[in-house]
Amino acid sequence: MSLYTYEVAKKHLDAWLACDLALATSQSYTISGRTLTRANLKDVQEQIRYWQKQVDDIQREQSGAGPRRRVRRYIPIDL
C-alpha cells in the first residue's frame, strides 16, 4: 500500500518536472547585484525518479497487478 494517493504523487511529480524545466533555462541569475542559485539539478532528478516510482507503484496497485514477487523453491539434498 502506498503512502500517497495518486493525485498527491502526480502533483508532486508535476511540480518537480516543472522545476527541472526551470533549471534547464538557467541554474542561477543575478538581479541588482544579488545572485539567486536554484536547486541542484542532481537533487531534482532524484526527486523526479522518486515521485515517478510512487506514481507507477500506485497505478500498478490500482490495476490489481501489485508488486512483482518471486517465489523460489528449494529442495534439500542429503549427500
Side-chain angles (χ1 to χ4, degrees):
M1 180 167 211
S2 180
L3 297 173
Y4 308 100
T5 64
Y6 174 78
E7 292 77 18
V8 170
K10 183 69 172 141
K11 189 178 286 190
H12 279 277
L13 176 60
D14 292 342
W16 283 106
L17 288 171
C19 181
D20 186 49
L21 285 175
L23 285 173
T25 58
S26 65
Q27 181 68 25
S28 64
Y29 56 92
T30 303
I31 299 174
S32 301
R34 297 178 69 192
T35 302
L36 175 68
T37 303
R38 296 180 188 218
N40 185 353
L41 183 59
K42 181 181 174 188
D43 295 337
V44 171
Q45 290 173 341
E46 286 177 15
Q47 288 295 316
I48 290 172
R49 280 192 293 276
Y50 174 80
W51 287 107
Q52 184 64 59
K53 183 179 181 318
Q54 294 299 315
V55 168
D56 293 343
D57 288 349
I58 292 168
Q59 286 178 330
R60 195 172 17 262
E61 284 178 10
Q62 289 176 350
S63 70
R68 183 174 180 206
R69 297 190 176 139
R70 294 184 182 193
V71 176
R72 295 185 181 174
R73 191 177 306 203
Y74 295 98
I75 301 173
I77 299 176
D78 188 18
L79 298 176

Coordinates of all heavy atoms in Angstrom, one line a residue:
M1 N 0.8 -1.2 0.0 CA 0.0 0.0 0.0 C 0.9 1.2 0.0 O 1.9 1.3 0.7 CB -0.9 0.0 1.2 CG -1.8 1.1 1.3 SD -3.1 0.8 2.5 CE -4.4 1.8 1.8
S2 N 0.5 2.2 -0.8 CA 1.3 3.4 -0.9 C 1.0 4.4 0.2 O -0.1 4.4 0.7 CB 1.0 4.0 -2.3 OG 1.8 5.2 -2.5
L3 N 2.0 5.2 0.4 CA 1.8 6.3 1.5 C 1.0 7.5 0.9 O 0.5 8.2 1.7 CB 3.2 6.8 1.9 CG 4.1 5.8 2.6 CD1 5.5 6.5 2.8 CD2 3.5 5.4 3.9
Y4 N 0.9 7.6 -0.4 CA 0.3 8.7 -1.0 C -0.9 8.3 -1.9 O -0.9 7.2 -2.4 CB 1.3 9.5 -1.9 CG 2.6 9.8 -1.2 CD1 3.7 9.0 -1.3 CD2 2.7 10.9 -0.3 CE1 4.9 9.4 -0.7 CE2 3.8 11.2 0.3 CZ 4.9 10.5 0.1 OH 6.1 10.8 0.8
T5 N -1.8 9.2 -2.2 CA -2.8 9.0 -3.2 C -2.2 9.3 -4.5 O -1.2 9.9 -4.6 CB -4.0 9.9 -2.9 OG1 -3.6 11.3 -3.1 CG2 -4.6 9.7 -1.6
Y6 N -2.9 8.8 -5.6 CA -2.4 9.0 -6.9 C -2.3 10.5 -7.2 O -1.3 11.0 -7.8 CB -3.3 8.3 -7.9 CG -2.9 8.7 -9.4 CD1 -1.8 8.0 -9.9 CD2 -3.6 9.6 -10.1 CE1 -1.4 8.4 -11.2 CE2 -3.2 9.9 -11.4 CZ -2.2 9.3 -12.0 OH -1.8 9.6 -13.2
E7 N -3.3 11.3 -6.8 CA -3.4 12.7 -7.1 C -2.2 13.5 -6.4 O -1.6 14.3 -7.0 CB -4.7 13.3 -6.6 CG -5.9 12.8 -7.4 CD -6.4 11.4 -7.0 OE1 -6.0 11.0 -5.9 OE2 -7.1 10.8 -7.8
V8 N -1.9 13.1 -5.2 CA -0.8 13.8 -4.5 C 0.5 13.5 -5.1 O 1.3 14.3 -5.4 CB -0.8 13.4 -3.0 CG1 0.4 13.8 -2.3 CG2 -2.0 13.9 -2.3
A9 N 0.7 12.2 -5.4 CA 2.0 11.8 -6.0 C 2.2 12.4 -7.4 O 3.3 12.9 -7.8 CB 2.1 10.3 -6.1
K10 N 1.1 12.5 -8.2 CA 1.1 13.1 -9.5 C 1.4 14.6 -9.4 O 2.2 15.1 -10.2 CB -0.2 12.8 -10.3 CG -0.2 13.3 -11.7 CD 0.7 12.5 -12.6 CE 0.5 12.9 -14.0 NZ 1.8 13.0 -14.7
K11 N 0.8 15.2 -8.4 CA 1.0 16.7 -8.2 C 2.5 17.0 -7.9 O 3.1 17.9 -8.4 CB 0.1 17.2 -7.1 CG 0.1 18.7 -7.1 CD -0.9 19.2 -6.0 CE -2.3 19.0 -6.5 NZ -3.3 19.7 -5.6
H12 N 3.1 16.1 -7.0 CA 4.5 16.3 -6.7 C 5.4 16.0 -7.9 O 6.3 16.8 -8.1 CB 4.9 15.4 -5.5 CG 4.5 15.9 -4.2 ND1 5.3 16.7 -3.5 CD2 3.4 15.6 -3.4 CE1 4.7 17.0 -2.3 NE2 3.5 16.3 -2.3
L13 N 5.1 15.0 -8.6 CA 5.9 14.7 -9.8 C 5.8 15.9 -10.8 O 6.8 16.3 -11.3 CB 5.4 13.4 -10.5 CG 6.0 13.0 -11.8 CD1 7.5 12.8 -11.6 CD2 5.4 11.8 -12.4
D14 N 4.6 16.4 -11.1 CA 4.5 17.5 -12.0 C 5.3 18.8 -11.5 O 5.9 19.5 -12.3 CB 3.0 17.9 -12.1 CG 2.2 16.8 -12.9 OD1 2.8 16.0 -13.6 OD2 1.0 16.8 -12.8
A15 N 5.2 19.0 -10.2 CA 6.0 20.1 -9.6 C 7.5 20.0 -9.8 O 8.2 20.9 -10.2 CB 5.7 20.3 -8.1
W16 N 8.0 18.7 -9.6 CA 9.4 18.5 -9.8 C 9.8 18.6 -11.3 O 10.9 19.0 -11.6 CB 9.9 17.2 -9.2 CG 10.0 17.3 -7.7 CD1 9.1 16.8 -6.7 CD2 11.0 18.0 -6.9 NE1 9.5 17.2 -5.5 CE2 10.7 17.9 -5.6 CE3 12.1 18.7 -7.3 CZ2 11.5 18.5 -4.6 CZ3 12.9 19.3 -6.3 CH2 12.6 19.2 -5.0
L17 N 8.9 18.1 -12.1 CA 9.2 18.2 -13.6 C 9.2 19.7 -14.0 O 10.0 20.1 -14.8 CB 8.1 17.5 -14.4 CG 8.3 15.9 -14.3 CD1 7.0 15.3 -14.9 CD2 9.5 15.5 -14.9
A18 N 8.3 20.5 -13.4 CA 8.4 22.0 -13.7 C 9.7 22.6 -13.2 O 10.2 23.5 -13.9 CB 7.2 22.6 -13.1
C19 N 10.1 22.1 -12.1 CA 11.4 22.6 -11.5 C 12.5 22.3 -12.4 O 13.4 23.1 -12.7 CB 11.6 22.0 -10.1 SG 13.1 22.6 -9.3
D20 N 12.5 21.1 -13.0 CA 13.5 20.6 -13.9 C 13.5 21.5 -15.2 O 14.6 21.9 -15.7 CB 13.3 19.2 -14.3 CG 14.4 18.6 -15.1 OD1 15.6 18.8 -14.8 OD2 14.1 18.0 -16.2
L21 N 12.4 21.9 -15.6 CA 12.3 22.8 -16.8 C 12.8 24.1 -16.5 O 13.5 24.8 -17.3 CB 10.8 22.9 -17.3 CG 10.3 21.7 -18.0 CD1 8.8 21.9 -18.4 CD2 11.1 21.4 -19.3
A22 N 12.6 24.6 -15.3 CA 13.1 25.9 -14.9 C 14.6 25.9 -14.8 O 15.3 26.9 -15.2 CB 12.5 26.4 -13.5
L23 N 15.2 24.8 -14.3 CA 16.6 24.7 -14.2 C 17.2 24.6 -15.6 O 18.4 24.9 -15.8 CB 17.0 23.4 -13.4 CG 16.8 23.6 -11.9 CD1 17.1 22.2 -11.2 CD2 17.8 24.6 -11.4
A24 N 16.5 24.1 -16.6 CA 17.0 23.9 -17.9 C 17.3 25.3 -18.6 O 18.1 25.5 -19.4 CB 16.1 23.1 -18.8
T25 N 16.5 26.3 -18.1 CA 16.6 27.6 -18.7 C 17.8 28.4 -18.0 O 18.5 29.1 -18.7 CB 15.3 28.5 -18.6 OG1 15.0 28.5 -17.2 CG2 14.2 27.8 -19.4
S26 N 17.9 28.2 -16.7 CA 19.1 28.9 -16.1 C 19.3 28.3 -14.7 O 18.3 28.0 -14.0 CB 18.9 30.4 -16.0 OG 17.8 30.7 -15.1
Q27 N 20.5 28.0 -14.3 CA 20.8 27.5 -13.0 C 20.8 28.6 -11.9 O 20.4 28.4 -10.8 CB 22.2 26.8 -13.0 CG 22.6 26.2 -11.7 CD 21.7 25.0 -11.3 OE1 21.1 24.3 -12.1 NE2 21.6 24.7 -10.0
S28 N 21.3 29.8 -12.3 CA 21.3 30.9 -11.4 C 21.1 32.2 -12.2 O 21.4 32.2 -13.4 CB 22.6 31.0 -10.6 OG 23.7 31.2 -11.5
Y29 N 20.7 33.3 -11.5 CA 20.6 34.6 -12.2 C 20.9 35.7 -11.2 O 20.9 35.5 -10.0 CB 19.3 34.7 -12.8 CG 18.1 34.6 -11.9 CD1 17.5 35.7 -11.3 CD2 17.5 33.3 -11.7 CE1 16.4 35.5 -10.4 CE2 16.4 33.2 -10.9 CZ 15.9 34.3 -10.3 OH 14.8 34.1 -9.4
T30 N 21.2 36.9 -11.7 CA 21.6 38.0 -10.9 C 20.6 39.2 -11.2 O 20.4 39.5 -12.3 CB 23.0 38.4 -11.1 OG1 23.9 37.3 -10.9 CG2 23.5 39.5 -10.2
I31 N 20.2 39.8 -10.1 CA 19.3 41.0 -10.2 C 19.9 42.0 -9.2 O 20.0 41.8 -8.0 CB 17.8 40.7 -9.9 CG1 17.3 39.7 -10.9 CG2 17.0 42.0 -9.9 CD1 15.9 39.2 -10.5
S32 N 20.2 43.2 -9.7 CA 20.8 44.3 -8.9 C 21.9 43.8 -8.0 O 21.9 44.2 -6.8 CB 19.6 44.9 -8.1 OG 18.6 45.4 -8.9
G33 N 22.8 43.0 -8.5 CA 23.9 42.6 -7.7 C 23.6 41.4 -6.8 O 24.6 40.9 -6.1
R34 N 22.4 41.0 -6.7 CA 22.1 39.8 -5.8 C 21.9 38.6 -6.7 O 21.3 38.6 -7.7 CB 20.8 40.1 -5.1 CG 20.9 41.3 -4.1 CD 19.6 41.5 -3.4 NE 19.3 40.4 -2.5 CZ 18.2 40.2 -1.9 NH1 17.1 41.1 -2.2 NH2 18.0 39.3 -1.1
T35 N 22.6 37.5 -6.3 CA 22.6 36.3 -7.1 C 21.7 35.2 -6.4 O 21.8 35.0 -5.2 CB 24.0 35.7 -7.3 OG1 24.8 36.7 -7.9 CG2 24.0 34.5 -8.1
L36 N 20.8 34.6 -7.2 CA 20.0 33.6 -6.8 C 20.4 32.3 -7.5 O 20.4 32.3 -8.7 CB 18.5 33.9 -7.0 CG 17.5 32.7 -6.7 CD1 17.5 32.5 -5.2 CD2 16.2 33.0 -7.2
T37 N 20.7 31.2 -6.7 CA 21.0 29.9 -7.3 C 19.8 29.0 -7.0 O 19.4 28.9 -5.9 CB 22.3 29.4 -6.7 OG1 23.3 30.3 -6.9 CG2 22.7 28.1 -7.3
R38 N 19.4 28.4 -8.1 CA 18.3 27.4 -7.9 C 18.7 26.1 -7.4 O 19.9 25.9 -7.1 CB 17.6 27.2 -9.3 CG 17.0 28.5 -9.8 CD 16.4 28.3 -11.2 NE 16.0 29.6 -11.7 CZ 14.9 29.8 -12.4 NH1 14.1 28.8 -12.6 NH2 14.6 31.0 -12.9
A39 N 17.8 25.2 -7.2 CA 18.2 23.9 -6.7 C 19.2 23.1 -7.5 O 19.3 23.4 -8.7 CB 16.9 23.1 -6.5
N40 N 19.8 22.2 -6.9 CA 20.8 21.4 -7.5 C 20.1 20.4 -8.5 O 19.2 19.7 -8.1 CB 21.6 20.6 -6.5 CG 22.7 19.8 -7.1 OD1 22.9 19.7 -8.3 ND2 23.5 19.2 -6.2
L41 N 20.6 20.3 -9.7 CA 19.9 19.5 -10.7 C 19.9 18.0 -10.3 O 18.9 17.3 -10.6 CB 20.6 19.7 -12.1 CG 20.0 18.9 -13.3 CD1 18.6 19.4 -13.5 CD2 20.9 19.2 -14.5
K42 N 21.0 17.6 -9.7 CA 21.1 16.2 -9.3 C 20.0 15.9 -8.3 O 19.3 14.8 -8.3 CB 22.4 15.9 -8.7 CG 22.6 14.5 -8.2 CD 24.0 14.2 -7.6 CE 24.1 12.9 -7.0 NZ 25.3 12.7 -6.3
D43 N 19.7 16.8 -7.3 CA 18.7 16.6 -6.3 C 17.3 16.6 -7.0 O 16.4 15.8 -6.6 CB 18.7 17.7 -5.2 CG 20.0 17.6 -4.4 OD1 20.6 16.5 -4.4 OD2 20.4 18.6 -3.9
V44 N 17.1 17.4 -7.9 CA 15.8 17.5 -8.6 C 15.6 16.2 -9.4 O 14.5 15.6 -9.3 CB 15.8 18.7 -9.6 CG1 14.5 18.7 -10.4 CG2 15.8 20.0 -8.8
Q45 N 16.6 15.7 -10.0 CA 16.4 14.4 -10.8 C 16.1 13.2 -9.9 O 15.4 12.4 -10.2 CB 17.6 14.2 -11.7 CG 17.7 15.1 -12.8 CD 19.0 15.0 -13.6 OE1 20.0 14.5 -13.1 NE2 19.0 15.6 -14.8
E46 N 16.7 13.2 -8.7 CA 16.5 12.2 -7.7 C 15.0 12.2 -7.3 O 14.3 11.2 -7.1 CB 17.4 12.3 -6.5 CG 18.8 11.9 -6.7 CD 19.7 12.1 -5.5 OE1 19.2 12.3 -4.4 OE2 20.9 12.1 -5.7
Q47 N 14.5 13.5 -7.0 CA 13.1 13.6 -6.6 C 12.2 13.2 -7.8 O 11.1 12.6 -7.5 CB 12.8 15.1 -6.2 CG 13.4 15.5 -4.9 CD 12.8 14.7 -3.8 OE1 11.6 14.5 -3.7 NE2 13.7 14.2 -2.9
I48 N 12.5 13.5 -9.0 CA 11.7 13.1 -10.1 C 11.6 11.6 -10.2 O 10.5 11.0 -10.4 CB 12.2 13.7 -11.5 CG1 12.0 15.2 -11.5 CG2 11.6 13.0 -12.6 CD1 12.6 15.9 -12.7
R49 N 12.8 10.9 -10.0 CA 12.8 9.4 -10.0 C 11.9 8.9 -8.9 O 11.2 7.9 -9.1 CB 14.2 8.9 -9.9 CG 15.0 8.9 -11.2 CD 16.2 8.1 -11.1 NE 17.2 8.7 -10.3 CZ 18.1 9.7 -10.6 NH1 18.1 10.1 -11.9 NH2 18.9 10.2 -9.8
Y50 N 12.0 9.5 -7.7 CA 11.3 9.0 -6.5 C 9.8 9.1 -6.8 O 9.0 8.2 -6.6 CB 11.6 9.8 -5.3 CG 10.8 9.5 -4.1 CD1 11.0 8.4 -3.3 CD2 9.7 10.3 -3.7 CE1 10.2 8.1 -2.3 CE2 8.9 10.1 -2.7 CZ 9.1 8.9 -1.9 OH 8.3 8.6 -0.9
W51 N 9.3 10.3 -7.2 CA 7.9 10.5 -7.4 C 7.4 9.7 -8.6 O 6.2 9.3 -8.6 CB 7.6 12.0 -7.5 CG 7.7 12.7 -6.2 CD1 8.6 13.5 -5.8 CD2 6.8 12.5 -5.1 NE1 8.4 13.9 -4.5 CE2 7.3 13.2 -4.0 CE3 5.6 11.7 -4.9 CZ2 6.7 13.3 -2.8 CZ3 5.0 11.8 -3.7 CH2 5.5 12.5 -2.6
Q52 N 8.2 9.5 -9.7 CA 7.8 8.7 -10.8 C 7.5 7.3 -10.3 O 6.6 6.6 -10.7 CB 8.8 8.7 -11.9 CG 8.4 8.0 -13.1 CD 7.2 8.6 -13.8 OE1 7.2 9.7 -14.2 NE2 6.1 7.8 -13.9
K53 N 8.4 6.8 -9.4 CA 8.3 5.4 -8.9 C 7.0 5.3 -8.1 O 6.2 4.4 -8.1 CB 9.5 5.0 -8.1 CG 9.4 3.6 -7.5 CD 10.6 3.2 -6.7 CE 10.5 1.8 -6.2 NZ 9.3 1.4 -5.7
Q54 N 6.7 6.4 -7.3 CA 5.5 6.4 -6.5 C 4.2 6.3 -7.4 O 3.3 5.6 -7.1 CB 5.4 7.7 -5.6 CG 6.5 7.7 -4.5 CD 6.4 6.6 -3.5 OE1 5.3 6.2 -3.1 NE2 7.5 6.0 -3.2
V55 N 4.2 7.2 -8.4 CA 3.1 7.2 -9.3 C 2.9 5.8 -10.0 O 1.8 5.3 -10.1 CB 3.3 8.3 -10.4 CG1 2.3 8.2 -11.5 CG2 3.1 9.7 -9.7
D56 N 4.0 5.2 -10.5 CA 4.0 3.9 -11.1 C 3.5 2.8 -10.2 O 2.7 2.0 -10.5 CB 5.4 3.5 -11.6 CG 5.8 4.4 -12.8 OD1 5.0 5.1 -13.4 OD2 7.0 4.4 -13.1
D57 N 4.0 2.9 -8.9 CA 3.5 1.9 -7.9 C 2.0 2.0 -7.6 O 1.3 1.0 -7.5 CB 4.3 2.0 -6.6 CG 5.8 1.6 -6.8 OD1 6.1 0.9 -7.8 OD2 6.6 1.9 -5.8
I58 N 1.6 3.2 -7.5 CA 0.1 3.4 -7.2 C -0.7 3.0 -8.4 O -1.7 2.3 -8.2 CB -0.1 4.9 -6.9 CG1 0.5 5.3 -5.6 CG2 -1.7 5.2 -6.9 CD1 0.5 6.8 -5.3
Q59 N -0.3 3.3 -9.6 CA -1.0 2.8 -10.8 C -1.0 1.3 -10.9 O -2.0 0.7 -11.2 CB -0.4 3.4 -12.1 CG -0.7 4.8 -12.3 CD -0.1 5.4 -13.5 OE1 1.0 4.9 -13.9 NE2 -0.7 6.4 -14.1
R60 N 0.1 0.6 -10.5 CA 0.2 -0.8 -10.5 C -0.8 -1.4 -9.5 O -1.5 -2.4 -9.7 CB 1.6 -1.3 -10.3 CG 1.9 -2.7 -10.6 CD 3.4 -3.1 -10.6 NE 4.3 -2.3 -9.9 CZ 5.1 -1.4 -10.5 NH1 5.0 -1.1 -11.8 NH2 5.9 -0.7 -9.7
E61 N -0.8 -0.8 -8.3 CA -1.7 -1.2 -7.2 C -3.2 -1.1 -7.7 O -4.0 -2.0 -7.4 CB -1.5 -0.4 -6.0 CG -0.3 -0.8 -5.2 CD -0.1 0.1 -4.0 OE1 -1.0 0.8 -3.6 OE2 1.0 0.0 -3.4
Q62 N -3.5 0.0 -8.3 CA -4.9 0.3 -8.7 C -5.3 -0.7 -9.8 O -6.5 -1.0 -10.0 CB -5.1 1.7 -9.1 CG -5.0 2.7 -8.0 CD -5.1 4.1 -8.4 OE1 -5.0 4.5 -9.6 NE2 -5.3 5.0 -7.4
S63 N -4.4 -1.1 -10.7 CA -4.7 -2.0 -11.8 C -4.8 -3.5 -11.3 O -5.2 -4.3 -12.0 CB -3.7 -1.9 -12.9 OG -2.4 -2.5 -12.5
G64 N -4.4 -3.7 -10.0 CA -4.5 -5.0 -9.5 C -3.3 -5.9 -9.6 O -3.2 -7.0 -9.2
A65 N -2.3 -5.3 -10.3 CA -1.1 -6.1 -10.6 C -0.2 -6.2 -9.3 O 0.3 -7.3 -9.0 CB -0.2 -5.4 -11.6
G66 N -0.2 -5.2 -8.5 CA 0.6 -5.3 -7.2 C 2.1 -5.4 -7.5 O 2.5 -5.4 -8.7
P67 N 2.9 -5.5 -6.5 CA 4.3 -5.6 -6.7 C 4.7 -7.0 -7.2 O 4.0 -8.0 -6.9 CB 4.9 -5.4 -5.3 CG 3.8 -5.7 -4.3 CD 2.5 -5.4 -5.1
R68 N 5.7 -7.0 -8.0 CA 6.2 -8.3 -8.6 C 6.9 -9.1 -7.5 O 7.8 -8.6 -6.8 CB 7.1 -8.0 -9.7 CG 7.5 -9.3 -10.4 CD 8.3 -9.0 -11.6 NE 8.7 -10.2 -12.2 CZ 9.8 -10.4 -13.0 NH1 10.6 -9.3 -13.2 NH2 10.1 -11.5 -13.5
R69 N 6.5 -10.3 -7.3 CA 7.1 -11.1 -6.3 C 7.7 -12.4 -6.9 O 7.1 -13.0 -7.8 CB 6.1 -11.5 -5.2 CG 5.6 -10.3 -4.5 CD 4.7 -10.7 -3.3 NE 4.4 -9.5 -2.6 CZ 3.2 -9.2 -2.1 NH1 2.3 -10.2 -2.2 NH2 3.0 -8.1 -1.5
R70 N 8.8 -12.8 -6.4 CA 9.4 -14.0 -6.9 C 9.3 -15.1 -5.8 O 9.5 -14.8 -4.7 CB 10.9 -13.8 -7.2 CG 11.1 -12.8 -8.3 CD 12.6 -12.7 -8.6 NE 12.8 -11.7 -9.7 CZ 13.9 -11.6 -10.3 NH1 14.9 -12.3 -10.0 NH2 13.9 -10.7 -11.3
V71 N 9.0 -16.3 -6.3 CA 8.9 -17.4 -5.4 C 10.0 -18.4 -5.8 O 10.1 -18.7 -7.0 CB 7.5 -18.1 -5.5 CG1 7.4 -19.3 -4.6 CG2 6.4 -17.1 -5.1
R72 N 10.7 -18.8 -4.8 CA 11.8 -19.8 -5.1 C 11.5 -21.0 -4.2 O 11.1 -20.9 -3.1 CB 13.1 -19.2 -4.8 CG 13.5 -18.1 -5.7 CD 14.9 -17.6 -5.5 NE 15.1 -16.5 -6.4 CZ 16.2 -15.8 -6.4 NH1 17.1 -16.0 -5.5 NH2 16.3 -14.8 -7.3
R73 N 11.8 -22.2 -4.8 CA 11.6 -23.4 -4.1 C 12.9 -24.1 -4.0 O 13.6 -24.3 -5.0 CB 10.6 -24.3 -4.9 CG 10.1 -25.5 -4.1 CD 9.1 -26.2 -4.9 NE 8.1 -25.3 -5.3 CZ 6.9 -25.6 -5.7 NH1 6.5 -26.9 -5.7 NH2 6.0 -24.7 -6.0
Y74 N 13.2 -24.5 -2.8 CA 14.5 -25.2 -2.5 C 14.2 -26.6 -2.0 O 13.3 -26.9 -1.2 CB 15.3 -24.5 -1.5 CG 15.8 -23.1 -1.9 CD1 15.1 -22.0 -1.6 CD2 16.9 -23.0 -2.7 CE1 15.5 -20.7 -2.0 CE2 17.3 -21.7 -3.2 CZ 16.6 -20.6 -2.8 OH 17.0 -19.4 -3.2
I75 N 15.0 -27.6 -2.5 CA 14.8 -29.0 -2.1 C 16.2 -29.4 -1.4 O 17.2 -29.4 -2.1 CB 14.5 -29.9 -3.3 CG1 13.2 -29.4 -3.9 CG2 14.5 -31.3 -2.8 CD1 12.9 -30.2 -5.2
P76 N 16.1 -29.7 -0.2 CA 17.4 -30.1 0.5 C 17.8 -31.5 0.0 O 17.0 -32.4 -0.2 CB 17.0 -30.1 2.0 CG 15.5 -30.2 2.0 CD 15.0 -29.6 0.8
I77 N 19.1 -31.6 -0.2 CA 19.6 -32.9 -0.7 C 20.7 -33.3 0.3 O 21.6 -32.6 0.7 CB 20.3 -32.7 -2.1 CG1 19.2 -32.3 -3.1 CG2 20.9 -34.0 -2.5 CD1 19.8 -32.0 -4.4
D78 N 20.5 -34.5 0.8 CA 21.5 -35.1 1.7 C 22.5 -35.9 0.9 O 22.2 -36.8 0.2 CB 20.7 -36.0 2.7 CG 21.6 -36.5 3.8 OD1 22.7 -35.9 4.0 OD2 21.3 -37.5 4.5
L79 N 23.7 -35.4 1.0 CA 24.8 -36.1 0.3 C 25.5 -37.1 1.0 O 26.1 -37.4 1.8 CB 25.8 -35.1 -0.3 CG 25.2 -34.0 -1.2 CD1 26.3 -33.0 -1.6 CD2 24.7 -34.7 -2.5

